[in-house]
Amino acid sequence: MIQDLENHCYHNEYQPVPPKGTDCILYFEDRRVLVRLTGDSFSFPAFAEAEKNCPGLYNTYTYLFSIDDTRYYFAPALTPAQAEGCTMEDIILFRNSGPQKNCFALITGYQLFQWYGSRKYCGRCGQPMVPDAVERMMYCPHCKNTEYPKISPAVIVAVRNGNKLLLSKYAGGTARRYALIAGFAEIGETLEETVKREVMEEVGLKVKNIQYYKSQPWSLSSSLLMGFYCDLDGSDAITLDEDELSVAEWFEREDIPYDDYDVSLTREMMIQFKKGLF
């Protein structure tokens, strides 16, 4: 999965120290990121190379996180034209490019980019917010309101029916891959209740034997995904919520249309079932 960095170590402690020349800059515009493409790989501009064309580079920066000994920052003074050899690319390149640690840095940085951009003004009094010097937090000097990065709990649900697994595709958008039932937890419900509700809402089925599998941070939706396997309880007749899904159907274990893992918890759970492990 995207967060499995093997021999690399991700550090999310907030340590706003000045950047070094070898540290990386994450620059985003909407859903595009500034990178240097080299075949099937990509990298981010480093401070040492960017400072030649951007004299004010070190004046303002926002520390994000570290992977091994490399720190990652936002640097507002930098523009794409000042980063030689770099281009603006759709963030979706994390699905098919490498190395994995850069893919993880990309989407984790994108989550923080989205959060900082939505916390410029206080949601309580409307005054400008400022970053805290000690924690990763935005603070309102006027009313003392504090805001921390948003993390939304959500479930991924693999519904089993004997030797069959329920697969679906989302309605609208650009998603064309088969996926599992998924949804966000609502106020006042447990994750197990979320599993039952989402399955009933999206495909009209009852489930039982809910079993937790694994979790995954998924930065594109600022969510923490929690994967569950469960069994069909009763009729297997699907009642499709067409606002949420374009299709939902039962697949025999051997007919699941994927053989390889990718960056997602969804795909891993599908392959685990296909292999007879769940």
Side-chain angles (χ1 to χ4, degrees), residues 166-171 181 198-205 236-249:
L166 183 66
L167 303 185
S168 62
K169 291 184 179 181
Y170 297 117
I181 299 298
E198 285 292 341
V199 175
M200 176 57 68
E201 288 179 353
E202 295 192 2
V203 290
L205 300 174
D236 66 354
I238 295 169
T239 303
L240 191 68
D241 180 352
E242 296 182 355
D243 290 332
E244 293 288 336
L245 302 176
S246 62
V247 64
E249 52 189 308

Side-chain angles (χ1 to χ4, degrees), residues 16 71 121:
R71 298 186 180 95
Y121 298 96

Side-chain angles (χ1 to χ4, degrees), residues 120-276:
K120 294 180 179 179
Y121 298 96
C122 179
R124 178 185 293 168
C125 71
Q127 295 297 312
M129 300 194 83
V130 298
D132 187 75
V134 178
E135 299 180 87
R136 188 182 311 285
M137 176 256 285
M138 296 297 286
Y139 173 74
C140 178
H142 181 74
C143 73
K144 315 307 184 207
N145 183 34
T146 59
E147 293 276 357
Y148 291 87
K150 182 182 74 172
I151 303 174
S152 302
V155 298
I156 299 290
V157 189
V159 183
R160 301 173 296 204
N161 179 14
N163 198 53
K164 298 178 182 179
L165 188 69
L166 183 66
L167 303 185
S168 62
K169 291 184 179 181
Y170 297 117
T174 59
R176 296 292 179 264
R177 300 177 177 88
Y178 277 102
L180 302 175
I181 299 298
F184 290 100
E186 298 290 350
I187 297 295
E189 69 181 3
T190 66
L191 293 174
E192 291 79 6
E193 289 168 339
T194 303
V195 167
K196 293 181 179 180
R197 176 181 56 77
E198 285 292 341
V199 175
M200 176 57 68
E201 288 179 353
E202 295 192 2
V203 290
L205 300 174
K206 293 182 179 180
V207 296
K208 61 184 178 180
N209 302 330
I210 299 171
Q211 176 188 6
Y212 173 73
Y213 170 64
K214 189 183 287 187
S215 65
Q216 177 182 37
W218 192 248
S219 294
L220 297 187
S221 55
S222 297
S223 54
L224 178 60
L225 305 178
M226 283 150 278
F228 292 86
Y229 286 93
C230 58
D231 295 313
L232 179 69
D233 184 12
S235 171
D236 66 354
I238 295 169
T239 303
L240 191 68
D241 180 352
E242 296 182 355
D243 290 332
E244 293 288 336
L245 302 176
S246 62
V247 64
E249 52 189 308
W250 295 105
F251 279 78
E252 294 285 349
R253 194 184 301 270
E254 59 272 16
D255 294 331
I256 291 175
Y258 304 109
D259 295 307
D260 59 330
Y261 297 99
D262 68 357
V263 299
S264 68
L265 175 62
T266 295
R267 179 69 67 84
E268 179 171 315
M269 293 176 67
M270 292 164 64
I271 299 301
Q272 292 291 84
F273 180 82
K274 185 172 185 175
K275 291 182 174 182

